Amino acid sequence: MNLTWRISTPADLDLLGEWNRQLICDEGHRNPMTVDQLVERMEGWLSIEYTAVIFSDDAAPVAYALYRSDADSIYLRHFFVRRERRRMGFGREAFGILRSQIWPSGMRLTLEVLTANAAGMAFWRSVGFKDYCLTLEILPPE
């Protein structure tokens, strides 16, 4: 496997919006936004504080990461691998590239995983993340 990476451009917004919709479905998130709304939101994020990296294998995009950084930490907001490419090492390699080639060393790394997303939690723990916080909620009646 030989992943390449590049910083996203405005031409990638439709792809990122579609992948964001798939990520929302896969992790069991309640976000009801349409792909068009997600594209608009992504465009706003990328214009202000976030960076998106697209990972490709043989020139075909297979994954993306969306993150923001400050002086001493990096917050990974999205990390997505195409469904048909999962459990093949692409996620682990892409995360390794983020750590070794893109992000400065010595930074605190944080992300959030929904508690119902057991596969996501298992992946993040397998690459070294430790549990830090659990958010609890009571939803209003419908």
Side-chain angles (χ1 to χ4, degrees), residues 18 20 27-28 45 50 63-64 83 126:
E18 173 56 37
N20 187 190
E27 66 187 4
W45 282 344
Y50 283 90
Y64 86 99
R83 292 169 178 159
S126 79

Side-chain angles (χ1 to χ4, degrees), residues 108 111-113 115 130-136:
R108 177 178 182 246
L111 56 83
E112 296 169 357
V113 182
T115 55
K130 304 288 184 223
D131 295 0
Y132 173 70
C133 175
L134 177 66
T135 301
L136 304 175

Side-chain angles (χ1 to χ4, degrees), residues 83-133:
R83 292 169 178 159
E84 69 275 9
R85 299 296 199 109
R86 293 182 188 158
R87 306 207 50 85
M88 302 169 85
F90 289 104
R92 186 173 298 277
E93 184 172 346
F95 184 67
I97 290 169
L98 287 168
R99 295 200 68 193
S100 66
Q101 299 178 36
I102 300 171
W103 295 338
S105 62
M107 302 286 277
R108 177 178 182 246
L109 306 176
T110 61
L111 56 83
E112 296 169 357
V113 182
L114 295 177
T115 55
N117 185 0
M121 279 197 257
F123 173 78
W124 293 116
R125 289 174 178 146
S126 79
V127 296
F129 281 85
K130 304 288 184 223
D131 295 0
Y132 173 70
C133 175

Side-chain angles (χ1 to χ4, degrees), residues 1 12 15-16 23 27 31 37-39 45 47 61-62 70 72 74 77 84 89 99 101 106 124 127 131 138:
M1 177 179 331
D12 298 311
L15 175 65
L16 293 172
L23 175 63
E27 66 187 4
N31 185 335
Q37 292 169 323
L38 294 168
V39 166
W45 282 344
S47 71
V62 296
D70 58 30
D72 61 353
I74 294 170
R77 185 173 190 115
E84 69 275 9
R99 295 200 68 193
Q101 299 178 36
W124 293 116
V127 296
D131 295 0
I138 295 176

